[in-house]
Amino acid sequence: MSGEMLIQFPELELQLEEVDRIVIPPMYRIIQKYDDQQILDVSGHLRRELETSVPHREQLRGKRLALTVGSRGIPDLDKLVRTICDTCKAWGAEPFIVPAMGSHGGSTAEGQRKILEEYGITAETMGVPVCSSMETVQYGALEDGTPLYCDKNAWEADGVILFNKVKPHTDFRGKHESGLGKMVAIGLAKEKGASMFHTKPLALFPEYRPKVTELFVATGKVAFGVGVVQNAYDRICRIEACGRDDILEMDARLQAFAKTQLPRFKFDRCDVLVVDEIGKDISGSGMDPNITGRNDSGDFPGVLDLQRLVVLGITEASCHNGCGINLCDLTVRRCLNEIDWHATWLNNVAASMLSRGQIPIYVETDRDAVRTAIRTCVGIDFHHPRVARIKNTLHMSEILVSADLYQDIKDREDVVLVSSPEEMAFDANGFLRKDIWGQEVADP
């Protein structure tokens, strides 16, 4: 990656006698059950939705259409993108793909192309060109003079297909959070526009997002929109399409529905939460604050009463972007060594959130991280700490909990015991085994 900056952090010895005496509790493996509605045939469903919900399809014949594809992981993303492209071609249009992900991918055209490649989206697999560029065109401005930008390739097309996941945002609340409006204001605006937009206070984002979307739609550049919502099991449960005049209405409707699908812990209070991995493919904040309660703005009180948050690694699909590592209290040295700090800090600056570049306390091993987290909790019973472990915030069904947490939730109908308590599985070097996940029943 251009500009890659990997730092080799030095080994540290934070040996404390009190930490060495901490006993990590055995963990119950449980299943948390959520609404499991999902769409099994995503390609067929999307094709039917396009045929029935996109008006004036005959007017798209012969038109070059830019399809926005973001950096967030969506199940079967390659199938969805291919279906949109194939359907447009069947209508006589000429679609092409533009990476629409703000400053992600190290703020480079090649970095953004690489992100799409890791999702299986290339010119060869999609059957259409992938036009990746960081060049933008200013198409308008807000009332206060803030300039609005659009990807140059998309602007020069005859129309833009706004396609994105719709989900609650990690830092603010409103009718329009992460969705089609974000694709306009941030994704298509590239690093230049994303940086400009993020100079606004987060509290004003719910007001600015629809305004920017309205101005973009008014240019006549929008062909149609497609929104996708995932359920708590990270499976697609809703796909909708609409014409340009209904973009905001559909975005708000899907946002309201997405909030009902959020996974949450079945308990309210936890001493230590261990997260195996974070990444931009999981959440803009690396891990979803709607689950952990931790974000940069501090606007999500009451989600989870948590004392210590431990992060152990970065997802491979994140391309070494470590955004969100600042939200944890403890990590391990090898996790920090996996982070591309150039790409991470570029993203932090573009988002005007410098706190995201802060480096947490680190120790050498996972075992030391968990024990240190327990030891530094305040006002707890060290013989019975309330500890939970998850793979990441996209996989909230199968989790591990200590005895005191399990006793609180064991009688709930939406909690299923998978196995009796077992000791945390550390290898000879003191690192947790990461191959333990995926043992839940097929349809909880």
Side-chain angles (χ1 to χ4, degrees), residues 69 78 81-82 85-86 89 95-99 112-132:
V69 182
D78 55 340
V81 172
R82 180 70 192 236
C85 292
D86 287 349
K89 287 193 286 187
F96 66 94
I97 294 166
V98 292
Q112 297 199 348
R113 184 188 299 274
K114 182 179 178 182
I115 289 176
L116 295 190
E117 287 176 355
E118 293 183 352
Y119 290 134
I121 297 171
T122 65
E124 292 73 26
T125 57
M126 298 296 104
V128 301
V130 175
C131 301
S132 184

Side-chain angles (χ1 to χ4, degrees), residues 144-292:
D144 62 3
T146 302
L148 302 177
Y149 297 97
C150 177
D151 175 279
K152 187 172 185 289
N153 288 314
W155 184 256
E156 293 177 347
D158 297 311
V160 177
I161 304 167
L162 295 177
F163 165 60
N164 200 20
K165 173 194 297 191
V166 181
K167 63 182 288 293
H169 198 272
T170 57
D171 285 297
F172 68 88
R173 286 284 177 262
K175 288 177 61 177
H176 303 277
E177 297 181 21
S178 288
L180 302 188
K182 182 178 181 180
M183 184 56 75
V184 173
I186 307 295
L188 273 174
K190 297 295 182 170
E191 190 275 337
K192 188 173 184 179
S195 296
M196 186 64 64
F197 195 84
H198 278 102
T199 62
K200 304 296 181 185
L202 279 170
L204 296 180
F205 273 35
E207 174 186 345
Y208 281 116
R209 285 273 169 90
K211 284 185 178 180
V212 174
T213 306
E214 287 175 349
L215 289 171
F216 188 68
V217 171
T219 66
K221 279 294 181 181
V222 177
F224 59 91
V226 178
V228 175
V229 177
Q230 293 165 227
N231 65 18
Y233 297 103
D234 194 31
R235 298 163 185 163
I236 294 175
C237 60
R238 184 162 295 184
I239 303 173
E240 291 190 17
C242 69
R244 72 177 67 175
D245 296 331
D246 298 317
I247 293 289
L248 283 174
E249 189 278 330
M250 183 180 78
D251 191 56
R253 182 175 64 253
L254 291 181
Q255 179 62 228
F257 174 69
K259 286 182 171 68
T260 70
Q261 298 298 301
L262 275 175
R264 293 268 171 81
F265 286 111
K266 305 302 181 180
F267 46 83
D268 299 320
R269 181 173 64 85
C270 184
D271 297 328
V272 175
L273 173 61
V274 179
V275 181
D276 280 10
E277 60 183 13
I278 65 172
K280 293 294 285 189
D281 55 313
I282 293 172
S283 170
S285 295
M287 48 190 160
D288 193 344
N290 295 288
I291 293 170
T292 66

Side-chain angles (χ1 to χ4, degrees), residues 11-41:
E11 183 174 348
L12 293 180
E13 294 292 338
L14 296 179
Q15 294 296 332
L16 294 174
E17 188 174 329
E18 307 95 282
V19 171
D20 291 338
R21 289 201 296 264
I22 291 293
V23 176
I24 299 174
M27 306 289 282
Y28 291 80
R29 186 184 300 273
I30 66 169
I31 296 298
Q32 299 185 119
K33 298 172 67 176
Y34 306 98
D35 182 352
D36 62 357
Q37 60 177 300
Q38 64 174 306
I39 298 171
L40 297 176
D41 179 13

Side-chain angles (χ1 to χ4, degrees), residues 24 365-368 370 423-433:
I24 299 174
T365 70
D366 294 353
R367 178 184 284 112
D368 285 345
V370 177
E423 301 295 330
M424 280 196 178
F426 294 99
D427 63 21
N429 296 314
F431 293 102
L432 282 167
R433 285 178 48 198

